[in-house]
Amino acid sequence: MKVSVCMIARNEEPRIGKAIASVEGLADEVIVVDTGSTDETIAKAKEWGATVIEGGDRRNKAGSRNQGIVFATGDWIVILDCDERVGDPVGFKKFLDTTDAQAVYVKTTFIGDDGKPSLSFSQMRAWRRGRFLYRYRAHEVPLPVNDNWNGQVWTDFVWEHRPPATAAWKREHMTMLLLMDVDENPGDPRCMYYLGRELMYAQAYQWALDWFQKYMDATSQGHWDRGDVWGCMASCNECLGKEDLALEQLQHALTEQPERRDWWGRQAAFYHKRGKHDLAASMLRTMLGLFPDKCYINEYWYGADAYDLLARCLYYGGKRDEGRRYAQKAAELAPNDQRIVDNLKWFEGAA
């Protein structure tokens, strides 16, 4: 099976070499669509053996991605961004050679400067040529050419996402694209959601809330991202000092997505802050019993911090013997985190 790795790039000179190097053993060809680089991105991509298509539209990420996809000659299309690295390229190639799947989801995992993962979510990043093309100018998504979603599989292969610090102009550019998407796709909840989220990141909280409300008005319970929208609304209102409203919205998020740890943990943190330690501890115990979400994992609620928060809730609730067990678990998971290690001393009588 021949594999085509397709990328889009603009001013990615410091990163594109590492991205292309990470597909050695997977890619039979690498196609890079450049959307107007003014640095040495094009030269660097060619140096690493990529075929470069110039003239991509930086105002239309889906259109630029589709240029590379249509140009590619492989049996499989694999999508990679310049700030990503494929974790196991040889293993993934073997998987593609043997699977009957038509499209493959992988885990996009954000890696911090400390090398630790912070967030993981599933994305479709590989499919048989001719099956999918992208839509939307920003936060583009692959959609089936013939409206056929059959043959998808979810895997644990990892695309390591190592984004640079986001410059203000990039936020402004993304917001512009999302406003264009909303205008070109009237009534499309997906565009409303991503515009609201981008505005939230830009700390334009009230404007973000306006778009999140439009999303809510356009959807009904069970729609694909209502839980996350409730959570985003809660974040906006918390930043605006409206904690009671934020807590109410987290409760709505939990109703929509009871399997997602974020909503249990964030509510528990609110209750702990308000002195309702027993209620917070009960929610955290329930949360820790949930299986990892197939599509979205906030590592904070799966690691030492979750156990540490539960230990503190139990300590202040007068259940120190039980709390000690969770404090020990937190220290085992994060032996280099001095704050968490020091917290264990409260249970051991050393503080």
Side-chain angles (χ1 to χ4, degrees):
M1 291 283 187
K2 182 177 179 180
V3 174
S4 299
V5 171
C6 298
M7 308 171 66
I8 59 173
R10 184 177 185 274
N11 292 342
E12 297 286 357
E13 180 186 353
R15 289 167 288 278
I16 196 167
K18 293 179 180 178
I20 296 175
S22 79
V23 298
E24 183 178 355
L26 168 61
D28 295 289
E29 65 177 3
V30 177
I31 311 297
V32 176
V33 176
D34 186 80
T35 63
S37 293
T38 56
D39 62 2
E40 295 300 310
T41 295
I42 292 174
K44 182 69 71 173
K46 290 180 177 178
E47 179 184 320
W48 281 92
T51 299
V52 178
I53 301 172
E54 299 184 51
D57 185 356
R58 67 184 293 254
R59 299 193 304 171
N60 189 339
K61 292 179 71 177
S64 296
R65 287 204 189 278
N66 290 339
Q67 276 185 267
I69 291 168
V70 171
F71 184 87
T73 61
D75 302 289
W76 280 93
I77 302 297
V78 173
I79 305 299
L80 183 69
D81 284 340
C82 292
D83 54 5
E84 295 176 336
R85 303 172 197 174
V86 175
D88 180 10
V90 174
F92 194 62
K93 177 65 178 295
K94 291 179 180 177
F95 176 81
L96 295 182
D97 284 341
T98 57
T99 185
D100 293 327
Q102 298 297 305
V104 183
Y105 284 78
V106 303
K107 291 186 181 298
T108 302
T109 300
F110 281 68
I111 305 294
D113 293 338
D114 58 1
K116 296 180 180 179
S118 61
L119 177 69
S120 296
F121 51 87
S122 293
Q123 284 189 320
M124 185 191 296
R125 289 300 191 94
W127 56 82
R128 296 184 189 272
R129 184 159 59 95
R131 286 294 309 275
F132 288 82
L133 289 172
Y134 277 93
R135 181 182 171 189
Y136 301 113
R137 292 177 179 270
H139 290 290
E140 64 281 13
V141 62
L143 297 174
V145 173
N146 296 316
D147 200 28
N148 182 359
W149 286 97
N150 294 331
Q152 302 170 78
V153 296
W154 279 257
T155 73
D156 290 325
F157 289 101
V158 173
W159 268 223
E160 297 179 1
H161 187 55
R162 299 171 179 266
T166 302
W169 72 263
K170 286 190 175 182
R171 284 265 178 256
E172 294 173 2
H173 181 70
M174 181 68 75
T175 301
M176 179 194 71
L177 298 185
L178 289 166
L179 285 166
M180 293 172 72
D181 270 333
V182 166
D183 185 58
E184 292 168 1
N185 301 275
D188 188 332
R190 188 179 192 279
C191 299
M192 300 173 190
Y193 162 66
Y194 278 111
L195 177 56
R197 200 177 71 171
E198 192 63 33
L199 293 168
M200 178 184 70
Y201 293 153
Q203 300 181 19
Y205 299 121
Q206 191 56 59
W207 194 10
L209 285 166
D210 291 342
W211 280 104
F212 288 141
Q213 187 59 55
K214 290 178 181 180
Y215 171 95
M216 288 297 182
D217 293 342
T219 62
S220 57
Q221 187 168 345
H223 195 265
W224 58 276
D225 237 339
R226 277 177 69 96
D228 199 61
V229 170
W230 282 119
C232 289
M233 293 175 78
S235 296
C236 290
N237 279 308
E238 184 177 3
C239 290
L240 291 171
K242 301 177 181 179
E243 290 194 354
D244 288 341
L245 182 54
L247 182 56
E248 179 183 331
Q249 289 166 338
L250 285 173
Q251 291 165 352
H252 285 300
L254 182 58
T255 299
E256 292 278 354
Q257 296 175 321
E259 74 287 351
R260 187 161 154 183
R261 287 193 179 192
D262 300 51
W263 315 138
W264 294 90
R266 287 177 62 184
Q267 283 189 70
F270 264 114
Y271 289 128
H272 174 55
K273 179 180 177 182
R274 295 182 174 194
K276 297 182 179 181
H277 307 299
D278 288 343
L279 177 55
S282 178
M283 296 194 76
L284 289 168
R285 289 193 200 94
T286 300
M287 182 197 76
L288 289 171
L290 297 174
F291 290 107
D293 189 279
K294 180 175 70 172
C295 296
Y296 183 97
I297 294 178
N298 182 341
E299 296 290 344
Y300 182 92
W301 298 112
Y302 286 85
D305 292 289
Y307 290 96
D308 176 64
L309 178 58
L310 177 51
R312 285 184 280 126
C313 289
L314 292 166
Y315 177 90
Y316 288 110
K319 300 176 181 177
R320 298 190 180 185
D321 287 341
E322 184 182 0
R324 182 185 296 108
R325 297 199 300 271
Y326 291 107
Q328 289 172 337
K329 177 68 173 180
E332 290 170 5
L333 291 171
N336 297 320
D337 188 320
Q338 197 59 48
R339 181 190 66 80
I340 287 178
V341 172
D342 286 345
N343 280 350
L344 182 57
K345 297 176 183 177
W346 288 93
F347 296 93
E348 296 176 342

